[in-house]
Amino acid sequence: MAEKTLAIGGLTSQEALRRLEQFGPNVIKEKRKTPLIIQFLSQFKDVLVIILIAAAIFAYVAGEKVDGSVIIGIVILNATIGFFQGYKAEKAIEALKKLLSPKARVARDGMEILIDAKDLVPGDIVILNEGDKVSADCKIEREYELRADESILTGESMPVKKDAEQTNKLFMGTQITHGNCIAVVAQTGMRTEFGRIAQLTSETKKDKSPLQKELAHIGVFVGKITIAISGVLFLIGIFVQGRGIVDTLLFAVSVAVAAVPEGLPATITVALALGVQRLARENAIVKQLSSVETLGSTTVICSDKTGTLTKNEMTVQDIFFDTYEISVRGVGYEPTGAFAIQNRAGKEVDYFDYEKEGLGDLASKRPAFYRYFELINRSAIICNNARLANTDDRWHILGDPTEGALVTMAEKAGFMSGHVNSTHKRIFESPFDSARKRMSVIAQEADTKKVFAYVKGAPDAMLSICSRVLENGQIIPFDAKKKEAFLKKTDSMANRALRTIAFAYKEISTTEQRNYNEQEIENNLIFIGLVGMMDPPRDEVKEAVKLTHRAGIRVFIITGDHGLTAHAVAKELGIAKSYGVNIVTGEMLNKMPDNKLDKLVAPGQETIFARVSPEHKLRVVESLKRLGETVAVTGDGVNDAPALKRADIGVAMGITGTDVSKEAANMVLTDDSFGTIVTAVIEGRTIYENMKKFIYYIFSANIGELLCIFITIMLGLPAPLTAVLILIVNTLTDVFPSLALGVEPVERNILEKAPRKPDAKIMEGPFIRRYVTVGFLIGTVTAGTFLWNLYINGWWFGEKVELDSAVYAESATMAFVVLTLIQMVHSFMCRSESVSCFRMNPFKNMYLVAAVASSTLFTIAAVEVPFLQKFLKTTSLTSQQWGVLVAFSFSILVFEEIRKFFLRKKLQKTAALSHA
C-alpha cells in the first residue's frame, strides 16, 4: 500500500469501517448462480424429454426392460451434453470478465492511500487523475480541466466536460480522459447509476427462445400422437382381436413407446452443440444451446453504435490546408495507414504511405506540400497531452480520445511523437477550456532555439484570432473571403458527422524566461488548416450489413450519441439507404405513445434512435416484439444490458463489454465484431434447416414403422418388427444418419431466404403431409416385404402365423432389413427438399456417407452374426433375398425424385409469376 501526506483530511479509518458496515461493500451484486445439480436437472424440463421418461417407465411396466434402459440412457446422454455445453460457456465468459476498477486512491486519516475499490464508502474523498476509472458515483469538489468518458453508460463517444458546479457528477465505471480532480463519494454499489441499470436488467423478463417454443410444440405433438396410437391399438386389441384388457394395454403402450423418436432430443442437442463449437472457433461464445438457432430466425438487429458498429477510437479522416485536401486511411489508434492527396478540384494528385515510402520521398517530390504537412502534424503533437501506447499488441491512448486521434494521425505520417517532443521543449501551456474553445502551447526548438506558439481549437474560435494564412508557399493576409471558404469546409465536414479541429501558429520573438498569457499568445496567428475526425465504423461491418440486408434482416441503430453522428455512420455502413430517415431522440420517446413508436419501427421504416437511456432501448425492443419480430440486440455498455436481456437474443462484446452486459446476453463476441453476428446468423439458419431435415427423416421413419405394424395387426398377424428391433432402428440406424444430416454443409442460398416468421412452426401442414406421405411409402414397402415373404412360403390371408416359426423369423428379418435400407437411401434424399440427389455431391457430407456405411454394416451384422441373431431374434438371408431387399429400398428414390421434379416446376412457376 502506497501512501503519502496530503493536505486534505478525509474519513478516519474507524468511520470508514462503520460506514462500510452500514452501506455494505462497493460491488455490483451478480445474479445468484444456480447450483450445478439444478442446472443439470433443468435439462429434463422439455416436453419431449418428459414423454421419453414416461415411455421408459411404461416400458419397464410392460416388461420391456431393454427398451426402458436404452431410453433412459439416451435421456441422460442428452442432458449431459446440454449441461456441459452450458457449463463450458459459463466458464469461458467468467474468463472474459474484467474488474471495473480494483483499486481507488482516497484520503484516510489525513493520508493519501490506495485501497480496494470495494472498500469505498459514501463520504470518502477520492483523488482521480487522467486514465483512472471511477469506482463509485462521486461529486466533484475541485477539478482541473476535467473530462470523462461516459460511453459505457450513455453510448456517447465524446468525453464530457466536468466541473465543480454544473456538471459535477462522476459515475461508477466511467473513465477520466483529461485533467484531474478531488471528489467525494456519493453512492456506492447497487445505489450507483451503474447499479440501478444492473437492477433494471435483473428485473427484465426473458422470453423463451423460438427453438425452445418449437421443441415444446414438437413435444406436445409427439405426446398427442403417442396417446392416439395407444388408444387405437387398445381398441383394436379389445374389439377386433378379442384380447384381455391388461395384455392389450401393455401391448398398445409398448408399441407406442417403441414409436416415440427416442433419438430426437439427443440429435437436436448434438446438432446445437456442434454449432456452438463451430461458433466458438469463429469468436462467439454461446451461453445457451437454443440461442444458436435463434439467431437464424432473427428478423431485426438493434445495435448500439459506439464500440459495436464503430471502434470507439476517434480517427482523423480528413486534413485540409493550402490547396490540398487529404483523405486519411486506416482506422483506430493503430498508427498505420496512407494519405490520399487531392487538390481542391477533388482530383487525386498523389498517394503517400510512410511505411512503404518514408518521408524523404515526399519531401523531395513535394517540398511545399511537405512543409505544411510537417507543420500541421508537428502542431498536432506539441499542442497535445495524449500518448499512444501498445499493450499486448493492442494500440490504445492515454488521455483524451480527440488528442489521441491527432497523435495517431501524426505517427501514421511518420512524425513520431517521442522525437518531436524531445526536440521541442515545452515552455508554457494554456489548457483547453469551454469558454475559449482553444488550447495553446509555447515550445522552443532544440536546434534553432526559436520559440513558437502552437494553438488548436474549434474552427469558429480559431478564425477570429488568425490574421494570416499559409497558401501557395507563402504567408498572406487571412481576409474574410478566405475565412468564409474555411467555414464552408467546416460545415461540409460537420454534415458528415466529422468533428473539426483547426490549427495555427506563430513565432514568438523573445526566448527569455517569463510569464506568458493567453491574450498575448492567441492573436495575430498564422492559420495552418483543419482536420476532421470521427469514431469510424469497423472495417468488417459494411459487408456484414450488406449480408443482413440480403438475409432480409433489418438493422436499427439505438445509441446514446448524437443523431447526426449516428445518421452519418448509418449512411456509410448502408444501414440508412433513403433520405427519409427518422431520427428519434430520447426526449421525443418520452412523449411518444406506443402506437406511434410501433409505426416508426414497422417494416419499410428507417429509424435511428439517438440520445436514449436504457429504459428507451428497452421500450424500442418491446415495440418490435409487439410487432412479432424476432429481435437480436447488440451492445457493450451497462446501458445496453436491460435491452440485451429482453431481446430474443442478446449479443454482448467480450473485449469492451461490461460484466453486466455479458451477464444479460445470450452470446458474447470475443472479437467485438458485428461481422461475427452474420456468421452466427448463417450458422443459426443452417442448424434450423438441418433440424427440419433430420426431423423429417426421423418422423417419416417412425410413421413407416407404425403403419407397418397397423397393417399387419389389422390382418390378424403378429407385428413384423419386435419392440427391440424398432428400438434398434430408432437408436442406431436412425440416429447416426440424422446426426450426419445435422451437420449438412451450408446451402449456397441460405442468406437469400427471408427470415422465417416468429410464429412459424416445423410441424405445420405441408411438412406433416410430406413426412406422412413418405412414411406411408416406407410402411407399405416394409409391410409388403413381410407379407410377400409369408406368401411365397405358403401363407394366405386369414391364416395365423406363429411367433416362434421359422417363416415368421425370416419375414420379420426381411422387414427389418428393408426398413433399414430404405431409410439409408432416404437419408440422402433428405439433404434437400427440392434439389435432385443426382445434382448433389454425396461426398460433400462425409459424415452422412460414414453414418450410412456404419448403419448398413450393423444391419448386415444384426442379420448374419450368430450371437446378434440370438439376441435380436433374426435369421440369415440368402444373397437373392438381399438383392430383392436392396431393390425394394430404392423405391423411395424413384418416389422422391418424381416429387422433387414437380415441386421444382411449381417453384419455377411461382417465381415467374412474382417477377411478372
Side-chain angles (χ1 to χ4, degrees):
M1 181 185 292
E3 57 180 55
K4 63 179 183 178
T5 305
L6 191 73
I8 49 177
L11 299 176
T12 64
S13 298
Q14 292 83 357
E15 177 61 18
L17 186 61
R18 187 191 69 77
R19 294 190 186 192
L20 186 63
E21 290 175 357
Q22 178 185 352
F23 296 104
N26 178 38
V27 294
I28 299 299
K29 291 179 183 175
E30 290 189 1
K31 180 183 173 184
R32 187 178 177 184
K33 287 190 176 180
T34 307
L36 293 180
I37 185 63
I38 301 298
Q39 290 182 39
F40 180 72
L41 292 175
S42 69
Q43 304 295 321
F44 297 92
K45 292 191 302 184
D46 288 344
V47 177
L48 196 54
V49 173
I50 292 169
I51 289 172
L52 287 177
I53 293 171
I57 293 169
F58 277 119
Y60 277 114
V61 171
E64 301 289 350
K65 293 183 179 179
V66 174
D67 296 25
S69 299
V70 170
I71 293 171
I72 289 296
I74 289 170
V75 167
I76 292 173
L77 174 66
N78 174 66
T80 303
I81 293 170
F83 168 75
F84 275 108
Q85 186 56 51
Y87 181 76
K88 277 168 60 182
E90 186 178 302
K91 289 300 175 186
I93 289 160
E94 283 180 7
L96 285 170
K97 285 187 174 181
K98 300 171 185 174
L99 292 172
L100 280 173
S101 181
K103 300 290 181 182
R105 191 168 294 279
V106 300
R108 293 264 178 97
D109 300 314
M111 308 291 288
E112 182 181 319
I113 62 172
L114 203 62
I115 65 169
D116 288 333
K118 64 182 177 62
D119 294 330
L120 281 174
V121 295
D124 258 328
I125 296 175
V126 295
I127 299 94
L128 294 164
N129 296 303
E130 191 172 295
D132 288 347
K133 273 196 173 181
V134 182
S135 299
D137 285 2
C138 304
K139 182 181 178 184
I140 300 166
E141 290 296 306
R142 49 184 201 266
E143 53 81 31
Y144 179 74
E145 292 303 318
L146 188 66
R147 288 197 287 277
D149 177 3
E150 296 183 345
S151 61
I152 198 170
L153 282 175
T154 66
E156 183 174 352
S157 55
M158 293 304 301
V160 179
K161 180 78 173 71
K162 297 289 183 176
D163 57 42
E165 297 173 2
Q166 301 295 321
T167 55
N168 62 354
K169 290 182 180 179
L170 291 171
F171 300 102
M172 174 190 268
T174 61
Q175 188 166 18
I176 305 301
T177 61
H178 189 273
N180 53 62
C181 75
I182 292 172
V184 177
V185 173
Q187 300 289 353
T188 57
M190 294 300 290
R191 290 177 296 278
T192 62
E193 184 67 13
F194 197 110
R196 186 187 69 81
I197 298 173
Q199 183 66 31
L200 177 63
T201 304
S202 67
E203 292 170 356
T204 302
K205 190 180 79 171
K206 186 73 179 175
D207 289 342
K208 284 185 177 180
S209 75
L211 181 60
Q212 288 170 322
K213 295 172 187 174
E214 182 69 63
L215 293 180
H217 177 71
I218 292 174
V220 171
F221 179 83
V222 170
K224 289 178 180 177
I225 293 294
T226 304
I227 292 169
I229 291 167
S230 301
V232 171
L233 289 176
F234 180 77
L235 293 174
I236 290 172
I238 294 292
F239 296 108
V240 176
Q241 297 179 324
R243 290 185 176 188
I245 291 177
V246 176
D247 287 345
T248 304
L249 180 62
L250 290 176
F251 169 75
V253 170
S254 65
V255 173
V257 165
V260 171
E262 293 91 348
L264 183 58
T267 305
I268 291 172
T269 301
V270 170
L272 291 172
L274 291 172
V276 166
Q277 289 174 15
R278 286 193 293 272
L279 281 175
R281 291 194 291 270
E282 298 289 341
N283 301 311
I285 295 174
V286 179
K287 294 163 70 176
Q288 292 173 288
L289 287 177
S290 59
S291 299
V292 184
E293 187 278 331
T294 306
L295 266 168
S297 62
T298 296
T299 57
V300 172
I301 297 175
C302 293
S303 179
D304 183 34
K305 179 187 72 69
T306 307
T308 306
L309 297 175
T310 66
K311 289 182 71 72
N312 199 16
E313 296 178 2
M314 292 297 289
T315 304
V316 172
Q317 306 261 295
D318 281 358
I319 307 172
F320 185 70
F321 59 76
D322 195 10
T323 59
Y324 300 100
E325 184 167 352
I326 304 152
S327 177
V328 185
R329 310 289 164 82
V331 172
Y333 296 132
E334 184 175 350
T336 57
F339 297 79
I341 305 166
Q342 300 174 337
N343 58 25
R344 294 232 175 142
K347 181 181 177 183
E348 188 169 309
V349 295
D350 208 343
Y351 188 85
F352 170 67
D353 188 330
Y354 169 73
E355 290 195 329
K356 294 178 181 177
E357 303 170 40
L359 284 169
D361 287 349
L362 184 66
S364 60
K365 281 194 303 182
R366 294 185 173 277
F369 172 84
Y370 175 80
R371 179 190 168 198
Y372 296 159
F373 192 56
E374 185 276 333
L375 181 58
I376 199 166
N377 280 291
R378 188 204 321 160
S379 303
I381 292 171
I382 294 172
C383 196
N384 199 315
N385 288 314
R387 287 187 295 117
L388 198 58
N390 188 314
T391 305
D392 298 328
D393 289 328
R394 183 169 177 264
W395 289 94
H396 60 97
I397 57 107
L398 302 172
D400 183 82
T402 300
E403 295 196 329
L406 296 172
V407 174
T408 305
M409 170 193 76
E411 296 217 357
K412 279 181 188 177
F415 301 100
M416 300 302 134
S417 56
H419 174 72
V420 172
N421 285 322
S422 67
T423 56
H424 292 78
K425 179 185 176 184
R426 183 178 288 204
I427 298 172
F428 172 83
E429 176 187 341
S430 177
F432 179 92
D433 67 48
S434 55
R436 289 163 44 243
K437 294 194 277 189
R438 293 187 293 267
M439 173 185 178
S440 301
V441 169
I442 294 178
Q444 183 181 42
E445 292 182 349
D447 52 356
T448 66
K449 303 302 180 183
K450 289 183 178 180
V451 177
F452 290 90
Y454 299 94
V455 185
K456 76 167 190 277
D460 55 343
M462 293 290 290
L463 292 176
S464 61
I465 59 172
C466 294
S467 58
R468 295 164 291 168
V469 64
L470 290 169
E471 190 173 296
N472 294 323
Q474 297 180 341
I475 298 173
I476 62 174
F478 199 17
D479 58 30
K481 186 177 180 181
K482 294 186 187 302
K483 289 183 179 182
E484 183 65 27
F486 274 100
L487 281 174
K488 282 184 179 179
K489 186 61 188 174
T490 301
D491 291 341
S492 172
M493 288 181 174
N495 288 335
R496 290 162 48 210
L498 296 181
R499 186 184 183 199
T500 51
I501 304 288
F503 290 91
Y505 83 111
K506 71 177 179 181
E507 185 176 352
I508 295 179
S509 57
T510 181
T511 60
E512 64 187 34
Q513 293 292 323
R514 63 185 180 83
N515 293 324
Y516 294 93
N517 60 70
E518 294 159 2
Q519 290 75 22
E520 177 188 358
I521 299 168
E522 296 176 357
N523 68 77
N524 198 31
L525 293 167
I526 304 166
F527 192 83
I528 304 171
L530 299 167
V531 300
M533 65 181 69
M534 70 181 299
D535 178 15
R538 292 173 172 271
D539 293 334
E540 72 282 358
V541 173
K542 198 166 189 175
E543 183 59 29
V545 168
K546 281 183 185 176
L547 292 174
T548 59
H549 287 156
R550 270 180 57 197
I553 300 170
R554 296 187 295 147
V555 181
F556 288 96
I557 294 179
I558 309 178
T559 180
D561 212 340
H562 293 277
L564 286 177
T565 304
H567 187 215
V569 170
K571 280 175 65 179
E572 185 168 343
L573 293 175
I575 294 172
K577 293 183 285 187
S578 69
Y579 287 100
V581 177
N582 306 302
I583 298 178
V584 178
T585 65
E587 191 175 337
M588 294 164 67
L589 276 173
N590 287 335
K591 304 171 185 175
M592 189 178 292
D594 286 346
N595 61 340
K596 188 172 180 182
L597 176 57
D598 291 350
K599 289 178 182 177
L600 285 172
V601 297
Q605 291 291 322
E606 290 185 357
T607 305
I608 292 169
F609 296 93
R611 312 299 281 175
V612 295
S613 68
E615 290 85 354
H616 295 137
K617 291 190 178 190
L618 195 56
R619 196 173 161 212
V620 172
V621 172
E622 287 173 340
S623 175
L624 286 162
K625 288 174 76 71
R626 272 198 305 275
L627 296 177
E629 305 283 3
T630 301
V631 186
V633 173
T634 73
D636 60 351
V638 182
N639 57 324
D640 299 312
L644 285 170
K645 187 172 181 181
R646 183 68 182 97
D648 293 292
I649 182 160
V651 183
M653 303 297 136
I655 299 171
T656 59
T658 60
D659 289 350
V660 176
S661 66
K662 292 173 195 171
E663 183 71 32
N666 306 89
M667 188 168 82
V668 179
L669 306 182
T670 58
D671 61 353
D672 284 14
S673 170
F674 185 88
T676 304
I677 297 171
V678 177
T679 303
V681 168
I682 294 171
E683 187 64 48
R685 289 194 176 187
T686 300
I687 285 173
Y688 184 77
E689 290 301 316
N690 289 347
M691 273 178 53
K692 287 171 67 177
K693 291 169 188 174
F694 63 67
I695 288 172
Y696 166 63
Y697 172 76
I698 289 172
F699 272 83
S700 56
N702 280 51
I703 291 289
E705 294 162 12
L706 287 173
L707 182 66
C708 172
I709 293 169
F710 265 111
I711 290 172
T712 53
I713 287 175
M714 292 299 290
L715 292 174
L717 296 171
L721 298 168
T722 64
V724 172
L725 283 179
I726 292 178
L727 199 61
I728 291 296
V729 171
N730 286 355
T731 56
L732 293 176
T733 57
D734 268 7
V735 168
F736 292 126
S738 60
L739 283 173
L741 287 170
V743 292
E744 181 71 18
V746 178
E747 295 181 21
R748 283 182 300 175
N749 65 340
I750 194 77
L751 282 179
E752 308 296 335
K753 298 177 181 178
R756 77 175 193 273
K757 294 178 181 177
D759 58 348
K761 295 178 176 61
I762 291 177
M763 291 296 176
E764 290 186 325
F767 187 82
I768 294 173
R769 284 194 296 273
R770 185 173 153 225
Y771 76 66
V772 168
T773 303
V774 173
F776 263 82
L777 175 66
I778 292 172
T780 303
V781 171
T782 305
T785 301
F786 178 75
L787 295 172
W788 173 74
N789 195 63
L790 288 176
Y791 171 73
I792 64 174
N793 281 282
W795 170 84
W796 189 244
F797 293 99
E799 297 179 1
K800 286 193 174 184
V801 176
E802 297 299 328
L803 281 170
D804 56 356
S805 66
V807 68
Y808 172 78
E810 186 179 76
S811 299
T813 299
M814 292 181 73
F816 165 68
V817 171
V818 81
L819 175 63
T820 303
L821 293 182
I822 202 170
Q823 287 183 221
M824 296 304 100
V825 177
H826 185 219
S827 66
F828 284 99
M829 306 305 299
C830 292
R831 292 181 67 198
S832 175
E833 183 181 355
S834 58
V835 179
S836 167
C837 72
F838 297 111
R839 299 189 64 183
M840 301 177 73
N841 181 358
F843 299 105
K844 197 170 182 181
N845 187 348
M846 288 303 297
Y847 294 106
L848 183 58
V849 173
V852 168
S854 60
S855 295
T856 303
L857 287 173
F858 177 80
T859 302
I860 294 170
V863 172
E864 303 297 342
V865 175
F867 82 87
L868 288 175
Q869 287 178 345
K870 186 177 180 181
F871 177 70
L872 300 174
K873 297 182 176 62
T874 57
T875 186
S876 296
L877 301 176
T878 67
S879 57
Q880 185 181 7
Q881 287 172 320
W882 276 104
V884 170
L885 296 176
V886 169
F888 283 178
S889 68
F890 276 91
S891 60
I892 196 167
L893 184 145
V894 177
F895 176 85
E896 275 287 89
E897 284 300 320
I898 293 171
R899 183 194 64 78
K900 289 183 179 184
F901 173 79
F902 284 108
L903 178 60
R904 287 195 299 272
K905 290 291 183 186
K906 182 181 177 182
L907 293 174
Q908 289 168 5
K909 187 176 179 181
T910 304
L913 289 172
S914 66
H915 287 99

